């Protein structure tokens, strides 16, 4: 199950706010507020939430003062939260390394394994196996770029894509079946890479008939990677009407549409639009 893109979440909330200001909520409308105090999740700070196909919520929480955290999932049949913390499972990260307990994104692969981007690398977890499946990827055991891993996505060929921001950041592709890494970082020009290191997102969009695009949003511009040509293309970004301005994280929906903000005209800001898989 895909996460709702952040920009769509904001748009939906804005629409809801407008609607309920004019109408009473339905009678069965209810909210439940989850905190570390009433659930046992590891802190009041959270950067990522994922809902499994069986509706199990995974909540990634942390405490920035003690650098403790990880993620928790709700076991509905037992009415309890199951915690996976860096204190209980040191393989997840070290509290002496700021950010290792902070999970920015979570994305499932075709086999049900979960790939998580952290503030200092990445983490893998297979829910079917449990804690024994944990694998941490950092600068000490992989070439994953430094900085915060902002976005994670899985391509149809099983490769895992990481968008990393700052401190030696860049774009990384990992192929679990072979263990091969490909990194495009500062100063690199391979495959037409523009040498960016401040990535906010890298979103995979499958193409009809096979292949895929990776849509990349960086502080300095936008680009796409085409798996059929193995090349990057930098997109025009000059505030010209119709140009793409932003690609949110997790912006590909279940139908394969990629959501984006496009520039309208001076003083008219942006429109929220989507591009279909066939272009």
């Amino acid at each position: 199950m895909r996460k709702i893109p952040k920009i769509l979440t904001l748009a939906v909330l804005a629409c809801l706010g407008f609607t309920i200001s004019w109408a009473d909520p339905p009678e069965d409308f209810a909210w439940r507020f989850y905190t570390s105090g009433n659930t046992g999740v590891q802190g009041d700070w959270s950067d990522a939430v994922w809902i499994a196909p069986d509706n199990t919520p995974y909540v990634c929480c942390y405490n920035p003062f003690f650098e403790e955290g990880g993620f928790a999932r709700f076991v509905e049949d037992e009415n309890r939260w199951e915690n996976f913390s860096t204190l209980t499972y040191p393989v997840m990260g070290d509290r002496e390394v700021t950010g290792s307990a902070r999970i920015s994104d979570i994305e499932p692969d075709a086999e049900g394994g979960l790939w998580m981007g952290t503030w200092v690398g990445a983490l893998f977890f297979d829910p079917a196996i449990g804690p024994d499946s944990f694998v941490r990827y950092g600068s000490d055991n992989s070439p994953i770029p430094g900085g915060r891993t902002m976005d994670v996505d899985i391509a149809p060929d099983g490769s895992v894509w990481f968008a990393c921001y700052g401190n030696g950041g860049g774009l990384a592709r990992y192929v679990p079946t072979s263990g091969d890494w490909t990194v495009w970082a500062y100063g690199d020009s391979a495959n037409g890479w523009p040498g960016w290191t401040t990535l906010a997102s890298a979103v995979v969009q499958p193409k009809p008939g096979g292949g895929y695009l990776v849509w990349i949003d960086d502080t300095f511009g936008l680009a796409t990677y085409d798996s059929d040509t193995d090349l990057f293309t930098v997109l025009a970004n000059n505030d010209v009407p119709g140009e793409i301005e932003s690609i949110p994280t997790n912006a590909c929906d279940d139908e394969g549409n990629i959501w984006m903000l496009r520039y309208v005209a001076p003083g008219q800001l942006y429109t929220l639009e989507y591009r279909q898989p066939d272009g």
Side-chain angles (χ1 to χ4, degrees):
M1 177 175 290
R2 283 199 175 271
K3 298 154 287 186
I4 300 174
K6 294 178 182 177
I7 187 65
L8 298 186
T9 303
L10 294 176
V12 170
L13 290 177
C15 292
L16 287 175
F18 179 83
T19 301
I20 62 177
S21 65
W22 291 95
D24 293 330
E27 293 183 1
D28 60 351
F29 183 85
W31 284 93
R32 178 172 294 178
F33 189 46
Y34 294 100
T35 70
S36 57
N38 66 10
T39 63
V41 296
Q42 310 97 310
D44 291 326
W45 281 260
S46 179
D47 293 334
V49 174
W50 179 71
I51 308 299
D54 64 358
N55 290 324
T56 297
Y58 285 69
V59 183
C60 305
C61 296
Y62 62 92
N63 186 316
F65 301 105
F66 300 101
E67 288 304 324
E68 299 170 358
F71 66 93
R73 62 182 177 185
F74 184 64
V75 183
E76 185 174 9
D77 292 343
E78 302 175 16
N79 192 32
R80 68 180 181 88
W81 288 84
E82 184 179 10
N83 291 353
F84 300 89
S85 75
T86 51
L87 292 181
T88 306
Y89 305 104
V91 66
M92 295 177 64
D94 189 335
R95 62 182 298 178
E96 299 299 325
V97 179
T98 299
S100 62
R102 308 180 188 188
I103 297 172
S104 304
D105 192 23
I106 182 169
E107 187 74 21
D109 62 24
E111 288 72 40
L114 302 182
W115 293 87
M116 308 177 192
T118 73
W119 284 31
V120 291
L123 187 69
F124 174 79
F125 173 75
D126 188 337
I129 297 176
D132 289 341
S133 66
F134 275 125
V135 180
R136 180 187 56 81
Y137 299 93
S139 59
D140 59 333
N141 66 352
S142 77
I144 192 169
R148 177 178 176 181
T149 303
M150 302 290 291
D151 194 21
V152 182
D153 211 349
I154 315 296
D157 60 8
S159 60
V160 187
W161 292 77
F162 303 95
C164 303
Y165 185 98
N167 191 28
L171 180 70
R173 176 182 62 197
Y174 177 60
V175 182
T177 53
S178 64
D180 293 334
W181 285 87
T182 306
V183 176
W184 294 274
Y186 177 75
D188 290 340
S189 59
N191 311 87
W193 175 248
W196 295 336
T197 61
T198 52
L199 278 66
S201 61
V203 184
V204 174
Q205 182 183 32
K207 297 197 296 184
Y212 58 91
L213 297 174
V214 181
W215 294 80
I216 299 152
D217 190 333
D218 182 89
T219 301
F220 295 99
L222 300 161
T224 59
Y225 168 85
D226 192 324
S227 67
D228 291 330
T229 63
D230 197 28
L231 294 174
F232 293 96
T233 299
V234 176
L235 306 180
N237 190 234
N238 302 301
D239 288 339
V240 173
E243 288 183 347
I244 302 171
E245 289 291 317
S246 178
I247 304 294
T249 58
N250 316 124
C252 191
D253 62 27
D254 290 339
E255 284 70 47
N257 302 311
I258 184 80
W259 291 81
M260 60 188 69
L261 292 179
R262 296 180 71 191
Y263 187 71
V264 179
Q268 298 185 40
L269 298 179
Y270 316 114
T271 56
L272 176 64
E273 305 184 20
Y274 65 85
R275 180 185 187 275
Q276 296 176 339
D278 61 3

